[in-house]
Each structure stands twice: as structure tokens, then as C-alpha cells.
Amino acid sequence: MSNHDPESEIESIRRILAGEKHLFHDLIRPCERPVFFMLMSILKNETEAEDAAQETFIKAYRNLHLFRGDAQFRTWVVSIARNEGLGRLRKLDNRREDSIDGGPPGSEEATGDFTPAILTSWREIPIETVEREELAALLREAIAALPEIYRNVVLLRDIEEMDIRQTAEALDISEGAVKVRLHRARALLQKSLAPKLKGFAPQRRGWFGRRA
Amino acid sequence: MRIDCKHVWEHISAYIDGEIDPVLRADIDKHLETCEICSAVLDSTRNVVVLIADDRVFDLPAGLSERLHKRLDEEMSAGPPRESLTE
Ligand SMILES: [Zn+2]
């Protein structure tokens, strides 16, 4: 999913602009996940996020001629999604009369304790274990519980596997900020998840077949 | 140089991504040889990073993609991208 050939991307954009509109469908397929999950992260509502995702891709289509080849197409679309999400959030906030003034959403650099959960051993949880819905649910909950500025970085960097530069461009922050936030996000995830995940490690058999 | 556990924790994310100065990396590796806590912290963090990257954790809602492409077809039949610029 993280492999995009910039040459062929630019070529297909050129063809779309020249009239082969249907190519837009394939162009955006790798963007659907990051766009939707970025909007979920901001709006926290599935219906609203889906609507905003459609709007994002329509804007991307209408403004395709403005895309400059210096960024990856996916990065460009995710930053459109982020603006769309923040714009909708501002409208919702204005409508809410009792909105507490806390600055723009997600802007606060949460201070907190980023020390990890202390463990003395770790047994690897194999990737297949994600098939178990309880594990997947725990992972989703932990990510949802992150402060937004950390969640967005994890979403693009670790979940959608963008690199640090693309993540910085999509979120309009510096690469240094991406690294700091990523570090904190991972520390927070390790802290909340490690104690809960232990039970998912494959059981080792001890003496006489007892569980070790 | 000898480094302490706290120092190791500060660099875990960069260590996992391989974005770390080779000298510091060597110091951390040396620390990890004898520190079971830092080894467990590193392994668990890396494990978490691998698990959350799995596509099965976050799935697009059913039908979202189909609805999106249908909406785009409507938009596209309205004209090529450049024509709708004035909005
Ligand atoms: Zn240590």
C-alpha cells in the first residue's frame, strides 16, 4: 500500500486532465483508507467522516490541475481531507453555544508521562493474533484514546505506513514534530497496551504440559 | 559510553525506525545486552507498532468504497476536472 510510483501517478493525472476521467477511480484507491481514518480521527463520527471523505475526493478531482508533483498524490489528498475535517469541526463548534474555548482542536501539545510500562520480559504476539476481534478492539481503543495530535501521526506513519516526510507534509508540521509525536504516541500505546496484550501471547507449555 | 534506562526509552521510537546515530545505536545495543527491562520495553513497543499496522485492525465501513466511486461517477459525468474550477 505504501508503494506508489510517482512517475505513473503523474502520468495518470496528466491523462485524467486530458479527458480520461475514469482513471481517477484507480488513482484514489490507495488514498481511501488514510482519508477516511484521518476524518474519523478528527470528526469521530462514521457518517460525518464518510460524507467528508466523499467531499475530499470531489475536491481533489476538481482541483487536480493544482496538484504539483513535488508531493506524493496520497499526501496531497490526505491534507485536503484534514482541512475538510477541521473545517467541518469548526462549523460544528460554532453551532455549539457552550463550546469551551480551548484553542483549535488537536493543537494542544499534551504534556504527560511518556515513560513506558515497565516489563521484565516480553513474549512476541504474532501478527495472526489480530484475527481475534478482542485484540483488534483493544488496539482500536488504545489508538482512539490517544490525544488527537498523536493519533494522527500514528495513523499516517504506523498504520498507513507513510514515511516521516510524507506524514509531516500531510499534517503540515515539521519532520521534527512528527518524530517527537510519534515517539510519544508509541510510548503511550506501549504503556496502555503492553499490560493488556500479555495474555494474547502464545502459551508456552511447562513441565508435564502445564501452562508455564 | 554507558547510558541509563531513561536515556534508552527516549530513543526507542527512533531506534525502531532505524533513524538513529550509529554511535548511540551501539550504546543502546550494549545496554540492551544486560538490561532485561529495556529489552522488554523495546520488544513490546515494536510488537505494538507491528500489530497496529495490520489492515485488519482498521477496516473501512462496508460499502464505503462503492458509495464513494458511485458519487464520483456522478461528479465526473458533470465534466472534466478543469471545467468545475470556478466553484
Ligand atoms: Zn535499561
PDB file of all heavy atoms in Angstrom, chain A residues 83-110:
ATOM      1  N   ASN A  83      -7.977  19.264   6.096  1.00  0.00           N
ATOM      2  CA  ASN A  83      -8.604  20.589   6.062  1.00  0.00           C
ATOM      3  C   ASN A  83     -10.123  20.494   6.042  1.00  0.00           C
ATOM      4  O   ASN A  83     -10.809  21.273   6.691  1.00  0.00           O
ATOM      5  CB  ASN A  83      -8.112  21.385   4.849  1.00  0.00           C
ATOM      6  CG  ASN A  83      -6.686  21.862   5.052  1.00  0.00           C
ATOM      7  OD1 ASN A  83      -6.282  22.150   6.180  1.00  0.00           O
ATOM      8  ND2 ASN A  83      -5.916  21.914   3.980  1.00  0.00           N
ATOM      9  N   GLU A  84     -10.625  19.542   5.273  1.00  0.00           N
ATOM     10  CA  GLU A  84     -12.074  19.327   5.219  1.00  0.00           C
ATOM     11  C   GLU A  84     -12.603  18.978   6.615  1.00  0.00           C
ATOM     12  O   GLU A  84     -13.598  19.533   7.071  1.00  0.00           O
ATOM     13  CB  GLU A  84     -12.369  18.192   4.221  1.00  0.00           C
ATOM     14  CG  GLU A  84     -13.826  17.781   4.098  1.00  0.00           C
ATOM     15  CD  GLU A  84     -14.690  18.838   3.411  1.00  0.00           C
ATOM     16  OE1 GLU A  84     -14.131  19.676   2.677  1.00  0.00           O
ATOM     17  OE2 GLU A  84     -15.922  18.833   3.633  1.00  0.00           O
ATOM     18  N   GLY A  85     -11.908  18.077   7.297  1.00  0.00           N
ATOM     19  CA  GLY A  85     -12.329  17.657   8.635  1.00  0.00           C
ATOM     20  C   GLY A  85     -12.282  18.806   9.628  1.00  0.00           C
ATOM     21  O   GLY A  85     -13.235  19.034  10.379  1.00  0.00           O
ATOM     22  N   LEU A  86     -11.198  19.573   9.606  1.00  0.00           N
ATOM     23  CA  LEU A  86     -11.066  20.686  10.552  1.00  0.00           C
ATOM     24  C   LEU A  86     -12.103  21.775  10.258  1.00  0.00           C
ATOM     25  O   LEU A  86     -12.653  22.378  11.172  1.00  0.00           O
ATOM     26  CB  LEU A  86      -9.644  21.266  10.510  1.00  0.00           C
ATOM     27  CG  LEU A  86      -8.536  20.334  11.039  1.00  0.00           C
ATOM     28  CD1 LEU A  86      -7.160  20.980  10.863  1.00  0.00           C
ATOM     29  CD2 LEU A  86      -8.760  19.970  12.506  1.00  0.00           C
ATOM     30  N   GLY A  87     -12.379  22.005   8.973  1.00  0.00           N
ATOM     31  CA  GLY A  87     -13.390  22.986   8.601  1.00  0.00           C
ATOM     32  C   GLY A  87     -14.760  22.597   9.130  1.00  0.00           C
ATOM     33  O   GLY A  87     -15.495  23.425   9.673  1.00  0.00           O
ATOM     34  N   ARG A  88     -15.113  21.318   8.980  1.00  0.00           N
ATOM     35  CA  ARG A  88     -16.408  20.855   9.489  1.00  0.00           C
ATOM     36  C   ARG A  88     -16.473  20.945  11.002  1.00  0.00           C
ATOM     37  O   ARG A  88     -17.504  21.287  11.574  1.00  0.00           O
ATOM     38  CB  ARG A  88     -16.638  19.397   9.075  1.00  0.00           C
ATOM     39  CG  ARG A  88     -17.010  19.286   7.624  1.00  0.00           C
ATOM     40  CD  ARG A  88     -17.117  17.845   7.186  1.00  0.00           C
ATOM     41  NE  ARG A  88     -17.407  17.803   5.773  1.00  0.00           N
ATOM     42  CZ  ARG A  88     -18.450  17.164   5.239  1.00  0.00           C
ATOM     43  NH1 ARG A  88     -19.275  16.490   6.004  1.00  0.00           N
ATOM     44  NH2 ARG A  88     -18.656  17.201   3.940  1.00  0.00           N
ATOM     45  N   LEU A  89     -15.355  20.647  11.637  1.00  0.00           N
ATOM     46  CA  LEU A  89     -15.316  20.696  13.093  1.00  0.00           C
ATOM     47  C   LEU A  89     -15.543  22.121  13.593  1.00  0.00           C
ATOM     48  O   LEU A  89     -16.253  22.352  14.560  1.00  0.00           O
ATOM     49  CB  LEU A  89     -13.945  20.191  13.552  1.00  0.00           C
ATOM     50  CG  LEU A  89     -13.862  19.592  14.938  1.00  0.00           C
ATOM     51  CD1 LEU A  89     -14.814  18.416  15.069  1.00  0.00           C
ATOM     52  CD2 LEU A  89     -12.445  19.136  15.220  1.00  0.00           C
ATOM     53  N   ARG A  90     -14.935  23.083  12.891  1.00  0.00           N
ATOM     54  CA  ARG A  90     -15.113  24.490  13.280  1.00  0.00           C
ATOM     55  C   ARG A  90     -16.580  24.888  13.170  1.00  0.00           C
ATOM     56  O   ARG A  90     -17.114  25.558  14.040  1.00  0.00           O
ATOM     57  CB  ARG A  90     -14.255  25.396  12.388  1.00  0.00           C
ATOM     58  CG  ARG A  90     -12.867  25.670  12.969  1.00  0.00           C
ATOM     59  CD  ARG A  90     -12.155  26.776  12.225  1.00  0.00           C
ATOM     60  NE  ARG A  90     -11.875  26.427  10.833  1.00  0.00           N
ATOM     61  CZ  ARG A  90     -10.794  25.761  10.450  1.00  0.00           C
ATOM     62  NH1 ARG A  90      -9.909  25.354  11.335  1.00  0.00           N
ATOM     63  NH2 ARG A  90     -10.600  25.484   9.179  1.00  0.00           N
ATOM     64  N   LYS A  91     -17.234  24.456  12.087  1.00  0.00           N
ATOM     65  CA  LYS A  91     -18.664  24.762  11.922  1.00  0.00           C
ATOM     66  C   LYS A  91     -19.470  24.162  13.059  1.00  0.00           C
ATOM     67  O   LYS A  91     -20.354  24.806  13.613  1.00  0.00           O
ATOM     68  CB  LYS A  91     -19.171  24.211  10.588  1.00  0.00           C
ATOM     69  CG  LYS A  91     -18.980  25.183   9.451  1.00  0.00           C
ATOM     70  CD  LYS A  91     -19.653  24.647   8.192  1.00  0.00           C
ATOM     71  CE  LYS A  91     -18.876  25.091   6.961  1.00  0.00           C
ATOM     72  NZ  LYS A  91     -19.055  24.208   5.818  1.00  0.00           N
ATOM     73  N   LEU A  92     -19.175  22.919  13.388  1.00  0.00           N
ATOM     74  CA  LEU A  92     -19.907  22.258  14.477  1.00  0.00           C
ATOM     75  C   LEU A  92     -19.680  22.991  15.792  1.00  0.00           C
ATOM     76  O   LEU A  92     -20.598  23.178  16.573  1.00  0.00           O
ATOM     77  CB  LEU A  92     -19.451  20.803  14.618  1.00  0.00           C
ATOM     78  CG  LEU A  92     -19.829  19.847  13.482  1.00  0.00           C
ATOM     79  CD1 LEU A  92     -19.134  18.505  13.659  1.00  0.00           C
ATOM     80  CD2 LEU A  92     -21.347  19.653  13.419  1.00  0.00           C
ATOM     81  N   ASP A  93     -18.459  23.423  16.028  1.00  0.00           N
ATOM     82  CA  ASP A  93     -18.127  24.107  17.274  1.00  0.00           C
ATOM     83  C   ASP A  93     -18.829  25.456  17.386  1.00  0.00           C
ATOM     84  O   ASP A  93     -19.292  25.849  18.443  1.00  0.00           O
ATOM     85  CB  ASP A  93     -16.610  24.313  17.399  1.00  0.00           C
ATOM     86  CG  ASP A  93     -15.924  23.051  17.898  1.00  0.00           C
ATOM     87  OD1 ASP A  93     -16.654  22.134  18.328  1.00  0.00           O
ATOM     88  OD2 ASP A  93     -14.688  22.990  17.851  1.00  0.00           O
ATOM     89  N   ASN A  94     -18.904  26.162  16.247  1.00  0.00           N
ATOM     90  CA  ASN A  94     -19.569  27.461  16.257  1.00  0.00           C
ATOM     91  C   ASN A  94     -21.048  27.320  16.575  1.00  0.00           C
ATOM     92  O   ASN A  94     -21.649  28.172  17.209  1.00  0.00           O
ATOM     93  CB  ASN A  94     -19.423  28.149  14.897  1.00  0.00           C
ATOM     94  CG  ASN A  94     -18.002  28.627  14.693  1.00  0.00           C
ATOM     95  OD1 ASN A  94     -17.241  28.710  15.647  1.00  0.00           O
ATOM     96  ND2 ASN A  94     -17.656  28.918  13.450  1.00  0.00           N
ATOM     97  N   ARG A  95     -21.620  26.213  16.098  1.00  0.00           N
ATOM     98  CA  ARG A  95     -23.034  25.991  16.329  1.00  0.00           C
ATOM     99  C   ARG A  95     -23.303  25.694  17.806  1.00  0.00           C
ATOM    100  O   ARG A  95     -24.348  25.968  18.328  1.00  0.00           O
ATOM    101  CB  ARG A  95     -23.522  24.821  15.464  1.00  0.00           C
ATOM    102  CG  ARG A  95     -24.711  25.182  14.610  1.00  0.00           C
ATOM    103  CD  ARG A  95     -25.057  24.043  13.689  1.00  0.00           C
ATOM    104  NE  ARG A  95     -24.162  23.967  12.557  1.00  0.00           N
ATOM    105  CZ  ARG A  95     -23.926  22.839  11.870  1.00  0.00           C
ATOM    106  NH1 ARG A  95     -24.478  21.709  12.233  1.00  0.00           N
ATOM    107  NH2 ARG A  95     -23.118  22.858  10.834  1.00  0.00           N
ATOM    108  N   ARG A  96     -22.313  25.098  18.432  1.00  0.00           N
ATOM    109  CA  ARG A  96     -22.486  24.744  19.841  1.00  0.00           C
ATOM    110  C   ARG A  96     -22.184  25.976  20.695  1.00  0.00           C
ATOM    111  O   ARG A  96     -21.046  26.436  20.752  1.00  0.00           O
ATOM    112  CB  ARG A  96     -21.516  23.607  20.211  1.00  0.00           C
ATOM    113  CG  ARG A  96     -22.189  22.529  21.030  1.00  0.00           C
ATOM    114  CD  ARG A  96     -21.172  21.504  21.497  1.00  0.00           C
ATOM    115  NE  ARG A  96     -20.638  20.712  20.395  1.00  0.00           N
ATOM    116  CZ  ARG A  96     -19.345  20.393  20.279  1.00  0.00           C
ATOM    117  NH1 ARG A  96     -18.471  20.824  21.147  1.00  0.00           N
ATOM    118  NH2 ARG A  96     -18.931  19.648  19.283  1.00  0.00           N
ATOM    119  N   GLU A  97     -23.216  26.518  21.344  1.00  0.00           N
ATOM    120  CA  GLU A  97     -23.022  27.794  22.028  1.00  0.00           C
ATOM    121  C   GLU A  97     -22.154  27.681  23.266  1.00  0.00           C
ATOM    122  O   GLU A  97     -21.469  28.612  23.643  1.00  0.00           O
ATOM    123  CB  GLU A  97     -24.386  28.392  22.401  1.00  0.00           C
ATOM    124  CG  GLU A  97     -25.242  28.607  21.162  1.00  0.00           C
ATOM    125  CD  GLU A  97     -26.286  29.672  21.369  1.00  0.00           C
ATOM    126  OE1 GLU A  97     -26.469  30.086  22.515  1.00  0.00           O
ATOM    127  OE2 GLU A  97     -26.898  30.080  20.367  1.00  0.00           O
ATOM    128  N   ASP A  98     -22.229  26.517  23.869  1.00  0.00           N
ATOM    129  CA  ASP A  98     -21.479  26.369  25.115  1.00  0.00           C
ATOM    130  C   ASP A  98     -20.055  25.890  24.881  1.00  0.00           C
ATOM    131  O   ASP A  98     -19.409  25.391  25.786  1.00  0.00           O
ATOM    132  CB  ASP A  98     -22.199  25.391  26.042  1.00  0.00           C
ATOM    133  CG  ASP A  98     -22.336  24.022  25.409  1.00  0.00           C
ATOM    134  OD1 ASP A  98     -22.237  23.932  24.159  1.00  0.00           O
ATOM    135  OD2 ASP A  98     -22.530  23.046  26.135  1.00  0.00           O
ATOM    136  N   SER A  99     -19.573  26.044  23.628  1.00  0.00           N
ATOM    137  CA  SER A  99     -18.256  25.489  23.348  1.00  0.00           C
ATOM    138  C   SER A  99     -17.187  26.155  24.217  1.00  0.00           C
ATOM    139  O   SER A  99     -17.101  27.366  24.324  1.00  0.00           O
ATOM    140  CB  SER A  99     -17.904  25.630  21.868  1.00  0.00           C
ATOM    141  OG  SER A  99     -17.459  26.932  21.608  1.00  0.00           O
ATOM    142  N   ILE A 100     -16.431  25.321  24.843  1.00  0.00           N
ATOM    143  CA  ILE A 100     -15.402  25.826  25.746  1.00  0.00           C
ATOM    144  C   ILE A 100     -14.212  26.260  24.896  1.00  0.00           C
ATOM    145  O   ILE A 100     -13.831  25.556  23.965  1.00  0.00           O
ATOM    146  CB  ILE A 100     -14.937  24.727  26.707  1.00  0.00           C
ATOM    147  CG1 ILE A 100     -16.134  23.843  27.109  1.00  0.00           C
ATOM    148  CG2 ILE A 100     -14.246  25.283  27.924  1.00  0.00           C
ATOM    149  CD1 ILE A 100     -15.788  22.390  27.303  1.00  0.00           C
ATOM    150  N   ASP A 101     -13.663  27.378  25.233  1.00  0.00           N
ATOM    151  CA  ASP A 101     -12.552  27.874  24.440  1.00  0.00           C
ATOM    152  C   ASP A 101     -11.269  27.141  24.800  1.00  0.00           C
ATOM    153  O   ASP A 101     -10.645  27.392  25.819  1.00  0.00           O
ATOM    154  CB  ASP A 101     -12.378  29.375  24.665  1.00  0.00           C
ATOM    155  CG  ASP A 101     -11.337  29.948  23.709  1.00  0.00           C
ATOM    156  OD1 ASP A 101     -10.998  29.243  22.731  1.00  0.00           O
ATOM    157  OD2 ASP A 101     -10.876  31.062  23.945  1.00  0.00           O
ATOM    158  N   GLY A 102     -10.886  26.255  23.952  1.00  0.00           N
ATOM    159  CA  GLY A 102      -9.663  25.502  24.234  1.00  0.00           C
ATOM    160  C   GLY A 102      -8.702  25.584  23.073  1.00  0.00           C
ATOM    161  O   GLY A 102      -7.869  24.729  22.916  1.00  0.00           O
ATOM    162  N   GLY A 103      -8.846  26.625  22.250  1.00  0.00           N
ATOM    163  CA  GLY A 103      -7.986  26.723  21.083  1.00  0.00           C
ATOM    164  C   GLY A 103      -8.477  25.753  20.027  1.00  0.00           C
ATOM    165  O   GLY A 103      -9.404  24.986  20.258  1.00  0.00           O
ATOM    166  N   PRO A 104      -7.865  25.782  18.839  1.00  0.00           N
ATOM    167  CA  PRO A 104      -8.302  24.879  17.795  1.00  0.00           C
ATOM    168  C   PRO A 104      -8.111  23.420  18.232  1.00  0.00           C
ATOM    169  O   PRO A 104      -7.180  23.117  18.973  1.00  0.00           O
ATOM    170  CB  PRO A 104      -7.379  25.224  16.610  1.00  0.00           C
ATOM    171  CG  PRO A 104      -6.270  26.029  17.170  1.00  0.00           C
ATOM    172  CD  PRO A 104      -6.759  26.636  18.446  1.00  0.00           C
ATOM    173  N   PRO A 105      -9.006  22.544  17.794  1.00  0.00           N
ATOM    174  CA  PRO A 105      -8.933  21.168  18.252  1.00  0.00           C
ATOM    175  C   PRO A 105      -7.624  20.513  17.851  1.00  0.00           C
ATOM    176  O   PRO A 105      -7.122  20.740  16.759  1.00  0.00           O
ATOM    177  CB  PRO A 105     -10.114  20.504  17.533  1.00  0.00           C
ATOM    178  CG  PRO A 105     -10.419  21.393  16.382  1.00  0.00           C
ATOM    179  CD  PRO A 105     -10.049  22.768  16.809  1.00  0.00           C
ATOM    180  N   GLY A 106      -7.097  19.747  18.723  1.00  0.00           N
ATOM    181  CA  GLY A 106      -5.914  18.974  18.397  1.00  0.00           C
ATOM    182  C   GLY A 106      -4.643  19.778  18.405  1.00  0.00           C
ATOM    183  O   GLY A 106      -3.589  19.297  18.032  1.00  0.00           O
ATOM    184  N   SER A 107      -4.708  21.029  18.812  1.00  0.00           N
ATOM    185  CA  SER A 107      -3.499  21.836  18.755  1.00  0.00           C
ATOM    186  C   SER A 107      -2.660  21.697  20.015  1.00  0.00           C
ATOM    187  O   SER A 107      -1.481  22.005  20.016  1.00  0.00           O
ATOM    188  CB  SER A 107      -3.874  23.307  18.565  1.00  0.00           C
ATOM    189  OG  SER A 107      -4.540  23.776  19.721  1.00  0.00           O
ATOM    190  N   GLU A 108      -3.303  21.251  21.074  1.00  0.00           N
ATOM    191  CA  GLU A 108      -2.578  21.209  22.340  1.00  0.00           C
ATOM    192  C   GLU A 108      -1.506  20.111  22.334  1.00  0.00           C
ATOM    193  O   GLU A 108      -1.745  18.976  21.963  1.00  0.00           O
ATOM    194  CB  GLU A 108      -3.542  21.023  23.523  1.00  0.00           C
ATOM    195  CG  GLU A 108      -4.054  19.622  23.753  1.00  0.00           C
ATOM    196  CD  GLU A 108      -5.076  19.181  22.695  1.00  0.00           C
ATOM    197  OE1 GLU A 108      -5.500  20.010  21.873  1.00  0.00           O
ATOM    198  OE2 GLU A 108      -5.433  18.008  22.707  1.00  0.00           O
ATOM    199  N   GLU A 109      -0.319  20.504  22.692  1.00  0.00           N
ATOM    200  CA  GLU A 109       0.778  19.547  22.807  1.00  0.00           C
ATOM    201  C   GLU A 109       0.676  18.978  24.221  1.00  0.00           C
ATOM    202  O   GLU A 109       1.130  19.594  25.175  1.00  0.00           O
ATOM    203  CB  GLU A 109       2.107  20.279  22.611  1.00  0.00           C
ATOM    204  CG  GLU A 109       3.299  19.383  22.338  1.00  0.00           C
ATOM    205  CD  GLU A 109       3.403  18.979  20.874  1.00  0.00           C
ATOM    206  OE1 GLU A 109       3.028  19.782  19.992  1.00  0.00           O
ATOM    207  OE2 GLU A 109       3.865  17.866  20.617  1.00  0.00           O
ATOM    208  N   ALA A 110      -0.010  17.864  24.333  1.00  0.00           N
ATOM    209  CA  ALA A 110      -0.292  17.340  25.674  1.00  0.00           C
ATOM    210  C   ALA A 110       1.004  17.097  26.434  1.00  0.00           C
ATOM    211  O   ALA A 110       1.939  16.505  25.915  1.00  0.00           O
ATOM    212  CB  ALA A 110      -1.082  16.051  25.564  1.00  0.00           C
TER     213      ALA A 110
END
